[in-house]
Amino acid sequence: MLEVAPWWGALLLPMVLALFALSAAAFDSVLTTGRGALAEPLRATAGLLVQQRRRTLAADSLLWRGGAVALLVAGVMAALVIPLGSWVVADFSVGVVWFNAMEVVAWAAVWLVGWGANSAFGLIGGYRFIAQGLAYELPHMFALITAALGAGSLRVADIVAAQQDLWFVVWMPVAFAVYLLSVLGMAFFRPFDHAVSGDAAGGVLAELSGVDRLVFVAGRWLLLVAGAAMAVPLFLGGGQGPLLPGWLWSVLKTAAVLGFLVWASRRGPTVRMERFHEIAWIVLIPATLVQALVVSIVVIS
């Protein structure tokens, strides 16, 4: 049974997410360069903090910078319903819906950054992310619904409790795999990084610099962390496990999923947008619908 954390839990949550994000960035640095694990993300952060902000002609600063802040906020807000062991900041009765809604906020945030810069490259990146969302969001939503069907509830606490005897990943492997794939799309990491692709000079990142770029990049990492952390209560039994306390099991499982996602994002090239849409509509959506049907039949019987 999950318990709502005290008021200071809401203050601690961003720090926990930031620690996971920093660790993931360090691991990504190791995979990319083979060295400078912790030093590289810290060096990049320090460099952006002192870098002068770039300005573009006739840019809408409110939308441009507000979008970057909104992306950061979306990552934190999505994590409100994610339990750490037996504690959760917000135990909403529609926790799964809340998590999915924060991803829609991320859609708007990325597009606003691309639009507000008054830059062709930024606008291309923003529209690319919207187009990408049309491919990954439905499979992602069906994967979330499948876990909710298995528990008969949209409350995250009920989904965790329903895995007391058997984790959902055992009998919902397709939903689990599609969910992980869609998390990479949600945080626009390779192979779904068209929004920040180099062929458009960085897309939505093209004109961002200094603190603005740091906030946006941090928001992107927080989205990846939130997506990885949500996989634990949805499919991996939450804080359930032998010997160790529940909160430690949640941390270990989240770290494992996050490490896998970072590793997977470095394993192949960017998938072309039209090819991703074909895969999503021809393979992923039918596969998740069949998985949801199987789960529904098992639950009813």
Short mmCIF file of all heavy atoms in Angstrom, two decimals, residues 245-272:
data_model
loop_
_atom_site.label_atom_id
_atom_site.label_comp_id
_atom_site.label_asym_id
_atom_site.label_seq_id
_atom_site.Cartn_x
_atom_site.Cartn_y
_atom_site.Cartn_z
N PRO A 245 14.94 -2.96 1.25
CA PRO A 245 13.74 -2.12 1.44
C PRO A 245 13.13 -1.72 0.10
O PRO A 245 13.82 -1.68 -0.93
CB PRO A 245 14.27 -0.91 2.21
CG PRO A 245 15.74 -0.89 1.94
CD PRO A 245 16.16 -2.31 1.77
N GLY A 246 11.84 -1.39 0.13
CA GLY A 246 11.12 -1.09 -1.10
C GLY A 246 11.70 0.08 -1.87
O GLY A 246 11.79 0.05 -3.10
N TRP A 247 12.11 1.15 -1.16
CA TRP A 247 12.64 2.32 -1.85
C TRP A 247 13.92 1.99 -2.61
O TRP A 247 14.17 2.52 -3.70
CB TRP A 247 12.89 3.47 -0.87
CG TRP A 247 13.99 3.23 0.11
CD1 TRP A 247 13.87 2.71 1.36
CD2 TRP A 247 15.39 3.50 -0.09
NE1 TRP A 247 15.10 2.62 1.97
CE2 TRP A 247 16.05 3.12 1.10
CE3 TRP A 247 16.13 4.04 -1.13
CZ2 TRP A 247 17.43 3.24 1.25
CZ3 TRP A 247 17.51 4.15 -0.98
CH2 TRP A 247 18.14 3.77 0.21
N LEU A 248 14.73 1.08 -2.04
CA LEU A 248 15.98 0.71 -2.70
C LEU A 248 15.70 -0.14 -3.94
O LEU A 248 16.39 0.01 -4.97
CB LEU A 248 16.88 -0.04 -1.72
CG LEU A 248 18.29 -0.36 -2.22
CD1 LEU A 248 18.99 0.89 -2.74
CD2 LEU A 248 19.12 -1.02 -1.12
N TRP A 249 14.69 -1.01 -3.85
CA TRP A 249 14.32 -1.78 -5.04
C TRP A 249 13.84 -0.85 -6.15
O TRP A 249 14.16 -1.04 -7.33
CB TRP A 249 13.24 -2.80 -4.70
CG TRP A 249 13.77 -4.10 -4.21
CD1 TRP A 249 13.58 -4.67 -2.98
CD2 TRP A 249 14.59 -5.02 -4.94
NE1 TRP A 249 14.24 -5.88 -2.89
CE2 TRP A 249 14.87 -6.12 -4.09
CE3 TRP A 249 15.14 -5.03 -6.23
CZ2 TRP A 249 15.65 -7.20 -4.48
CZ3 TRP A 249 15.92 -6.11 -6.63
CH2 TRP A 249 16.17 -7.18 -5.76
N SER A 250 13.06 0.17 -5.79
CA SER A 250 12.60 1.13 -6.80
C SER A 250 13.77 1.84 -7.46
O SER A 250 13.80 2.04 -8.68
CB SER A 250 11.66 2.16 -6.15
OG SER A 250 10.46 1.57 -5.72
N VAL A 251 14.76 2.24 -6.65
CA VAL A 251 15.93 2.92 -7.18
C VAL A 251 16.72 2.00 -8.12
O VAL A 251 17.12 2.40 -9.22
CB VAL A 251 16.83 3.41 -6.03
CG1 VAL A 251 18.20 3.86 -6.56
CG2 VAL A 251 16.16 4.55 -5.27
N LEU A 252 16.93 0.76 -7.69
CA LEU A 252 17.71 -0.18 -8.51
C LEU A 252 17.01 -0.51 -9.83
O LEU A 252 17.65 -0.56 -10.89
CB LEU A 252 17.96 -1.47 -7.72
CG LEU A 252 18.89 -1.35 -6.51
CD1 LEU A 252 18.96 -2.67 -5.75
CD2 LEU A 252 20.29 -0.90 -6.94
N LYS A 253 15.71 -0.73 -9.76
CA LYS A 253 14.96 -1.04 -10.98
C LYS A 253 14.95 0.16 -11.93
O LYS A 253 15.12 0.00 -13.15
CB LYS A 253 13.53 -1.45 -10.63
CG LYS A 253 13.42 -2.78 -9.90
CD LYS A 253 11.98 -3.06 -9.49
CE LYS A 253 11.86 -4.33 -8.67
NZ LYS A 253 10.47 -4.58 -8.24
N THR A 254 14.75 1.35 -11.37
CA THR A 254 14.76 2.56 -12.21
C THR A 254 16.12 2.75 -12.86
O THR A 254 16.21 3.09 -14.05
CB THR A 254 14.40 3.79 -11.36
OG1 THR A 254 13.10 3.64 -10.81
CG2 THR A 254 14.45 5.06 -12.21
N ALA A 255 17.19 2.55 -12.09
CA ALA A 255 18.54 2.70 -12.62
C ALA A 255 18.79 1.69 -13.75
O ALA A 255 19.42 2.03 -14.77
CB ALA A 255 19.57 2.51 -11.50
N ALA A 256 18.28 0.47 -13.58
CA ALA A 256 18.47 -0.56 -14.61
C ALA A 256 17.74 -0.19 -15.91
O ALA A 256 18.30 -0.30 -17.00
CB ALA A 256 17.98 -1.91 -14.09
N VAL A 257 16.48 0.25 -15.77
CA VAL A 257 15.71 0.63 -16.96
C VAL A 257 16.32 1.86 -17.62
O VAL A 257 16.46 1.91 -18.85
CB VAL A 257 14.23 0.91 -16.58
CG1 VAL A 257 13.47 1.44 -17.79
CG2 VAL A 257 13.58 -0.36 -16.05
N LEU A 258 16.71 2.84 -16.82
CA LEU A 258 17.31 4.06 -17.35
C LEU A 258 18.63 3.76 -18.06
O LEU A 258 18.90 4.28 -19.15
CB LEU A 258 17.53 5.06 -16.23
CG LEU A 258 18.07 6.45 -16.61
CD1 LEU A 258 17.14 7.13 -17.60
CD2 LEU A 258 18.24 7.31 -15.37
N GLY A 259 19.45 2.92 -17.45
CA GLY A 259 20.71 2.54 -18.07
C GLY A 259 20.49 1.82 -19.39
O GLY A 259 21.22 2.07 -20.37
N PHE A 260 19.48 0.96 -19.44
CA PHE A 260 19.17 0.26 -20.69
C PHE A 260 18.74 1.23 -21.78
O PHE A 260 19.15 1.11 -22.94
CB PHE A 260 18.08 -0.79 -20.45
CG PHE A 260 17.58 -1.42 -21.72
CD1 PHE A 260 18.33 -2.40 -22.36
CD2 PHE A 260 16.37 -1.04 -22.28
CE1 PHE A 260 17.88 -2.98 -23.55
CE2 PHE A 260 15.91 -1.60 -23.45
CZ PHE A 260 16.67 -2.58 -24.09
N LEU A 261 17.90 2.20 -21.41
CA LEU A 261 17.42 3.17 -22.40
C LEU A 261 18.57 4.01 -22.95
O LEU A 261 18.64 4.27 -24.17
CB LEU A 261 16.36 4.07 -21.78
CG LEU A 261 15.01 3.43 -21.46
CD1 LEU A 261 14.08 4.41 -20.76
CD2 LEU A 261 14.34 2.89 -22.72
N VAL A 262 19.47 4.45 -22.08
CA VAL A 262 20.62 5.23 -22.53
C VAL A 262 21.50 4.40 -23.44
O VAL A 262 21.97 4.86 -24.48
CB VAL A 262 21.41 5.76 -21.32
CG1 VAL A 262 22.71 6.43 -21.78
CG2 VAL A 262 20.58 6.76 -20.52
N TRP A 263 21.73 3.15 -23.05
CA TRP A 263 22.53 2.24 -23.88
C TRP A 263 21.87 2.00 -25.23
O TRP A 263 22.52 2.06 -26.28
CB TRP A 263 22.73 0.92 -23.14
CG TRP A 263 23.40 -0.13 -23.96
CD1 TRP A 263 24.74 -0.31 -24.15
CD2 TRP A 263 22.75 -1.17 -24.73
NE1 TRP A 263 24.98 -1.38 -24.99
CE2 TRP A 263 23.77 -1.93 -25.36
CE3 TRP A 263 21.42 -1.53 -24.94
CZ2 TRP A 263 23.47 -3.01 -26.18
CZ3 TRP A 263 21.14 -2.61 -25.77
CH2 TRP A 263 22.17 -3.34 -26.38
N ALA A 264 20.55 1.76 -25.21
CA ALA A 264 19.82 1.47 -26.45
C ALA A 264 19.83 2.67 -27.38
O ALA A 264 19.87 2.51 -28.61
CB ALA A 264 18.38 1.07 -26.13
N SER A 265 19.80 3.88 -26.82
CA SER A 265 19.78 5.07 -27.65
C SER A 265 21.08 5.27 -28.42
O SER A 265 21.12 6.06 -29.37
CB SER A 265 19.50 6.32 -26.79
OG SER A 265 20.61 6.63 -25.97
N ARG A 266 22.14 4.59 -28.01
CA ARG A 266 23.44 4.72 -28.68
C ARG A 266 23.75 3.55 -29.61
O ARG A 266 24.83 3.48 -30.17
CB ARG A 266 24.55 4.81 -27.63
CG ARG A 266 24.53 6.11 -26.83
CD ARG A 266 24.85 7.28 -27.70
NE ARG A 266 24.81 8.55 -26.99
CZ ARG A 266 24.96 9.73 -27.59
NH1 ARG A 266 25.18 9.78 -28.89
NH2 ARG A 266 24.89 10.86 -26.89
N ARG A 267 22.78 2.64 -29.77
CA ARG A 267 23.06 1.43 -30.52
C ARG A 267 22.80 1.54 -32.01
O ARG A 267 23.24 0.69 -32.79
CB ARG A 267 22.24 0.25 -29.97
CG ARG A 267 22.59 -0.21 -28.56
CD ARG A 267 24.06 -0.58 -28.45
NE ARG A 267 24.88 0.53 -27.98
CZ ARG A 267 26.18 0.53 -27.97
NH1 ARG A 267 26.86 -0.50 -28.45
NH2 ARG A 267 26.84 1.56 -27.50
N GLY A 268 22.06 2.54 -32.45
CA GLY A 268 21.76 2.59 -33.87
C GLY A 268 21.55 4.01 -34.35
O GLY A 268 21.52 4.96 -33.57
N PRO A 269 21.37 4.18 -35.67
CA PRO A 269 21.18 5.53 -36.24
C PRO A 269 19.75 6.02 -36.04
O PRO A 269 18.86 5.26 -35.66
CB PRO A 269 21.48 5.30 -37.73
CG PRO A 269 21.07 3.88 -37.97
CD PRO A 269 21.39 3.14 -36.70
N THR A 270 19.54 7.27 -36.35
CA THR A 270 18.20 7.86 -36.28
C THR A 270 17.31 7.22 -37.33
O THR A 270 17.70 7.07 -38.49
CB THR A 270 18.28 9.38 -36.52
OG1 THR A 270 19.10 9.96 -35.51
CG2 THR A 270 16.89 10.00 -36.47
N VAL A 271 16.10 6.84 -36.92
CA VAL A 271 15.13 6.25 -37.84
C VAL A 271 14.43 7.37 -38.60
O VAL A 271 13.97 8.34 -38.00
CB VAL A 271 14.09 5.41 -37.07
CG1 VAL A 271 13.03 4.86 -38.03
CG2 VAL A 271 14.78 4.27 -36.34
N ARG A 272 14.36 7.24 -39.91
CA ARG A 272 13.67 8.25 -40.71
C ARG A 272 12.21 8.37 -40.29
O ARG A 272 11.58 7.39 -39.94
CB ARG A 272 13.74 7.88 -42.19
CG ARG A 272 15.09 8.18 -42.79
CD ARG A 272 15.26 7.74 -44.22
NE ARG A 272 14.04 7.41 -44.93
CZ ARG A 272 14.00 6.49 -45.90
NH1 ARG A 272 15.08 5.80 -46.20
NH2 ARG A 272 12.89 6.25 -46.53
#
